[in-house]
Amino acid sequence: MPHTASPFTSALNLMEDYDPNSMSVAKAKLFIQQYLSPLSECDQVGLKEALGRVLAQAVLSPAQVPNYDNSAMDGYAFNSLDLAATGRTQLTLIGTALAGKAFEQTVQKGQCVRIMTGAMLPSGTDSVMVQEKVSLEGNSVSFPNPPTNKMNVRYAGEDLQLGQTVLPAGHLIQAADLGLLASLGIAEIRVYRKLKVAFFSTGDELAGLGQSLKIGQVYDSNRYTLYGMLSRLGVDIVDLGAIADDPMLLEKTLLAAAEQADVVITSGGVSVGEADHMKPLLSKHGQVVFWKIAMKPGRPLAYGKIGHAHYFGLPGNPVAVMVTFYQFVREALLMLMGQAHVPALPTFNVVCTTAIKKQTGRTEFQRGILYTDAHGTWQVKPTGQQGSAILSSMSKANCFIVLDEQIGNLDAGVTVTVQVLHGLV
Ligand code: AMP
Ligand code: MG
């Protein structure tokens, strides 16, 4: 039986076919989502500092963008009423408009102005003829009839109107957003404060970098993987080290972690081995559910609350840590960071060029390499050995090949679903 306590008990009972010994990935995600609400504290930050943070307040446009009608091309600004009904249009050149240096006079009938991209459209004009189409003799300009009137002009407000919502609350700020906000002259915005995530590894067998490995020891790699994945999400990180399988030490570390962080992540010790001490500890101090997720890798997983902190107990196996982080933790952290709609990792269907062995009844996240063949068509192949301790498979991979519970062995050439990892965490 899983350890459950109110309010988890009632929430679990509401879930149809709840089976802690075979919990589907989708159901576990849904369960976790019920407990995620964004941070309430905010920071006012300078624009550059806002990259990767989540907007706590919608940004409304303080101006129209562009602010004035301007040319989209290098060419000649003229009035479309001057276009000749047939044959070439003939105009007199009276000056030049540069970006940042407007042509001040009003352009009269039959006149035109040389204009550069981004320059304000002189009054009296509404169109720009690209310079490549124009013949110039002295100050006489001529060009063939254009296909449409009013071309090559970027009109005031065509990108954003005054007062329009530029970015909604809950939006994760990306590079384009920094530029967009800068284009509006916005130097500071209100974002949710940074999420604080504490983590530690558990295991008597773990050695730290710089120590020489004794027989039976492995280097603690999970803390480095977690550091990398968490850093990419832009959270504040508290690394509490590798803790031996000693209930007292684990208890002390767990409580210290929950005290200072919004989220606590541990790796190892959540299955049912003799040295897996996390379960009794968590029933003593928190409300935590333990699942055997119907997935590979990543079968044992725990989620719950210890005081105010969210707790994720990830498996110990290095690949399982990454798979469960991508499938459960990443999305949860983004929701806690305030992101209103966390998009699922992008997936698409592609032909797998290698046969795959797979048992039905669990979702497998095989590590895959997306590549282009000689014709430039995207295909995928598994990275090779798929053991949950083979971290090089994760290092080689640029996607997961996601094989649903009902899928069994696959022949080469079958279409599979892949989840792209590029640029994520
Ligand atoms: P556990 O879930 O604690 O039973 O660990 C499962 C497997 O993962 C064992 O082979 C552990 O040695 C290994 N493992 C656990 N924690 C780590 C870690 N931090 N770094 C590398 N391997 C680990
Ligand atoms: Mg262990």
Side-chain angles (χ1 to χ4, degrees):
M1 277 301 287
H3 166 73
T4 58
S6 178
F8 279 30
T9 322
S10 49
L12 285 173
N13 289 339
L14 285 176
M15 299 187 87
E16 274 176 52
D17 334 315
Y18 173 74
D19 178 1
N21 290 314
S22 179
M23 186 74 165
S24 77
V25 175
K27 274 199 185 135
K29 262 195 205 183
L30 275 180
F31 177 85
I32 295 169
Q33 273 170 19
Q34 303 172 78
Y35 297 96
L36 306 173
S37 42
L39 296 166
S40 45
E41 302 96 342
C42 304
D43 294 329
Q44 184 82 7
V45 297
L47 201 50
K48 285 182 184 164
E49 220 189 303
L51 185 64
R53 306 281 291 269
V54 179
L55 264 181
Q57 225 172 36
V59 174
L60 307 183
S61 182
Q64 51 175 2
V65 177
N67 223 345
Y68 46 85
D69 294 351
N70 68 86
S71 178
M73 300 294 249
D74 291 338
Y76 294 83
F78 65 99
N79 192 315
S80 54
L81 293 173
D82 283 341
L83 285 172
T86 53
R88 292 174 77 82
T89 297
Q90 201 90 28
L91 299 167
T92 306
L93 181 63
I94 59 160
T96 303
L98 300 172
K101 248 192 202 157
F103 179 77
E104 306 284 354
Q105 293 155 252
T106 297
V107 175
Q108 306 295 333
K109 191 167 164 45
Q111 295 181 333
C112 69
V113 167
R114 174 116 175 89
I115 194 163
M116 303 301 148
T117 306
M120 190 156 119
L121 216 62
S123 95
T125 69
D126 63 4
S127 301
V128 173
M129 175 53 65
V130 290
Q131 60 188 23
E132 291 78 4
K133 294 270 169 71
V134 167
S135 319
L136 179 67
E137 270 177 52
N139 63 353
S140 174
V141 164
S142 78
F143 50 81
N145 248 0
T148 52
N149 282 353
K150 304 196 178 174
M151 339 154 275
N152 302 323
V153 177
R154 303 162 176 161
Y155 290 100
E158 75 174 18
D159 187 356
L160 295 168
Q161 296 287 339
L162 179 70
Q164 185 183 329
T165 300
V166 181
L167 295 169
H171 179 83
L172 182 72
I173 302 287
Q174 313 275 5
D177 305 318
L178 292 188
L180 180 63
L181 293 165
S183 77
L184 294 167
I186 294 173
E188 285 191 345
I189 51 171
R190 215 164 166 66
V191 294
Y192 288 104
R193 78 159 163 79
K194 280 196 174 183
L195 194 71
K196 199 167 177 186
V197 181
F199 60 94
F200 57 95
S201 299
T202 71
D204 279 340
E205 75 280 30
L206 302 180
L209 301 188
Q211 295 175 344
S212 49
L213 275 191
K214 300 198 186 87
I215 296 235
Q217 283 192 320
V218 293
Y219 283 117
D220 174 9
S221 60
N222 289 346
R223 252 165 64 230
Y224 292 85
T225 318
L226 278 170
Y227 169 84
M229 295 191 294
L230 289 167
S231 297
R232 294 286 292 267
L233 281 177
V235 300
D236 276 340
I237 290 168
V238 186
D239 182 347
L240 294 171
I243 310 299
D245 291 315
D246 168 337
M248 302 262 279
L249 268 179
L250 288 169
E251 182 171 37
K252 206 173 118 219
T253 314
L254 184 70
L255 294 180
E259 186 67 29
Q260 60 183 303
D262 302 301
V263 179
V264 178
I265 301 175
T266 62
S267 73
V270 287
S271 43
V272 288
E274 274 183 21
D276 293 328
H277 299 298
M278 295 310 283
K279 206 166 176 170
L281 254 181
L282 289 157
S283 26
K284 184 170 162 198
H285 293 289
Q287 298 180 352
V288 178
V289 288
F290 287 81
W291 291 311
K292 291 196 179 90
I293 308 275
M295 71 189 278
K296 188 184 173 192
R299 211 158 128 74
L301 182 83
Y303 167 74
K305 298 284 293 267
I306 308 160
H308 292 294
H310 295 265
Y311 170 76
F312 289 92
L314 307 186
N317 274 310
V319 179
V321 166
M322 293 198 80
V323 173
T324 48
F325 187 93
Y326 278 117
Q327 301 309 320
F328 300 103
V329 185
R330 173 188 166 271
E331 209 168 301
L333 296 187
L334 286 167
M335 287 170 104
L336 293 171
M337 285 162 69
Q339 196 175 354
H341 308 286
V342 182
L345 293 181
T347 58
F348 65 95
N349 293 340
V350 61
V351 167
C352 182
T353 50
T354 311
I356 290 181
K357 278 206 153 57
K358 151 98 171 52
Q359 284 176 21
T360 56
R362 62 193 181 193
T363 304
E364 280 196 23
F365 294 87
Q366 296 218 356
R367 276 71 68 208
I369 300 171
L370 276 165
Y371 66 100
T372 46
D373 66 11
H375 309 290
T377 306
W378 283 99
Q379 302 192 317
V380 71
K381 59 183 178 191
T383 52
Q385 282 197 72
Q386 294 286 327
S388 61
I390 298 176
L391 201 47
S392 61
S393 72
M394 205 58 231
S395 174
K396 283 181 203 148
N398 58 10
C399 72
F400 287 129
I401 303 172
V402 185
L403 305 166
D404 285 346
E405 292 185 20
Q406 71 277 10
I407 293 176
N409 290 339
L410 294 178
D411 294 331
V414 168
T415 298
V416 294
T417 300
V418 294
Q419 205 169 44
V420 187
L421 298 176
H422 182 78
L424 292 162
V425 290

